[in-house]
Amino acid sequence: GNSVTQMEGPVTLSEEAFLTINCTYTATGYPSLFWYVQYPGEGLQLLLKATKADDKGSNKGFEATYRKETTSFHLEKGSVQVSDSAVYFCALLGGTSYGKLTFGQGTILTVHP
Amino acid sequence: GAGVSQSPSNKVTEKGKDVELRCDPISGHTALYWYRQRLGQGLEFLIYFQGNSAPDKSGLPSDRFSAERTGESVSTLTIQRTQQEDSAVYLCASSPSGGATYEQYFGPGTRLTVT
């Protein structure tokens, strides 16, 4: 079946630091890959996505590239802000689990001024 | 337009009682999903409805859990004889259709606490 393994957290950074949150996946076929974000007290929302190999998803300064050869979809941001503090979830859709999102365990990011 | 809505936002119940959680998807979305998020964990898939097809119930953790959907609108998740391990945030999502290319839009969730 499908699975997503996400970098252990929590991650604590100073403002303007570089962020990487690692995500690797296991799936058959050609899944779509997503990063979701959950800000404190808010619901889950899509941050970015990529639907095929070598696609780069980007939004709000965050980027992730769908790497089929390494089965990875690492999230990066060049300069984090305090407002980026949230829980980040890597997820995949498709493969053997048509229609169901498979999530990683989530990474808590805290950014200090 | 309106997003996915869920009610109640919070529910506290005693162990052994039954609870019903409601989800109103985005109008026109044929696919509807229920997930569960236990404290400190990722989201677990519970059940998936797509149009008039038989639902995919493969994620339901026990026969105490059931869900229904009326056409392509409201869905209700029912948990019978609640246990403390059922305490979690229950999230509903909808998408224009099922499949790997459609984004799922999440509701704010229902926080269930079983005492």
Side-chain angles (χ1 to χ4, degrees):
Chain A
N2 294 342
S3 68
V4 176
T5 302
Q6 200 173 324
M7 175 178 173
E8 293 285 337
V11 174
T12 302
L13 295 173
S14 297
E15 208 165 24
E16 299 184 3
F18 184 85
L19 169 70
T20 299
I21 301 178
N22 290 337
C23 172
T24 57
Y25 68 90
T26 302
T28 58
Y30 302 95
S32 294
L33 301 173
F34 303 83
W35 278 98
Y36 280 84
V37 60
Q38 190 171 35
Y39 296 104
E42 298 185 17
L44 201 64
Q45 54 188 278
L46 180 67
L47 179 61
L48 54 84
K49 69 177 181 181
T51 58
K52 62 182 187 295
D54 299 325
D55 267 3
K56 178 185 284 187
S58 61
N59 186 25
K60 300 182 180 180
F62 290 88
E63 293 184 339
T65 301
Y66 187 161
R67 301 284 188 201
K68 190 165 177 64
E69 65 275 14
T70 55
T71 60
S72 65
F73 193 55
H74 305 321
L75 182 68
E76 296 182 336
K77 186 173 185 182
S79 176
V80 294
Q81 305 300 311
V82 172
S83 57
D84 295 326
S85 297
V87 184
Y88 292 82
F89 294 93
C90 185
L92 73 82
L93 185 62
T96 57
S97 301
Y98 187 84
K100 311 173 225 178
L101 278 165
T102 300
F103 285 87
Q105 69 269 38
T107 300
I108 300 172
L109 171 66
T110 303
V111 180
H112 292 298
Chain B
V4 177
S5 60
Q6 292 186 245
S7 61
S9 55
N10 280 287
K11 176 72 177 179
V12 180
T13 190
E14 292 180 352
K15 177 181 173 181
K17 295 288 179 71
D18 297 351
V19 295
E20 283 191 354
L21 312 180
R22 177 187 169 104
C23 171
D24 283 88
I26 294 172
S27 178
H29 282 193
T30 63
L32 185 146
Y33 312 80
W34 284 98
Y35 296 87
R36 177 172 72 175
Q37 184 178 21
R38 288 191 277 195
L39 187 64
Q41 299 184 26
L43 281 76
E44 306 169 71
F45 165 79
L46 296 177
I47 188 168
Y48 159 44
F49 296 89
Q50 169 55 46
N52 295 319
S53 302
D56 179 349
K57 305 179 182 180
S58 61
L60 294 178
S62 78
D63 58 8
R64 296 187 295 104
F65 287 71
S66 62
E68 294 183 348
R69 186 180 187 193
T70 307
E72 293 184 351
S73 60
V74 172
S75 176
T76 302
L77 177 69
T78 301
I79 308 173
Q80 296 178 311
R81 305 181 302 282
T82 52
Q83 304 295 312
Q84 288 187 332
E85 64 262 28
D86 300 334
S87 295
V89 177
Y90 289 82
L91 291 166
C92 176
S94 71
S95 65
S97 183
T101 58
Y102 291 99
E103 176 182 347
Q104 294 183 19
Y105 297 83
F106 284 80
T110 294
R111 182 175 298 278
L112 174 67
T113 304
V114 181
T115 61

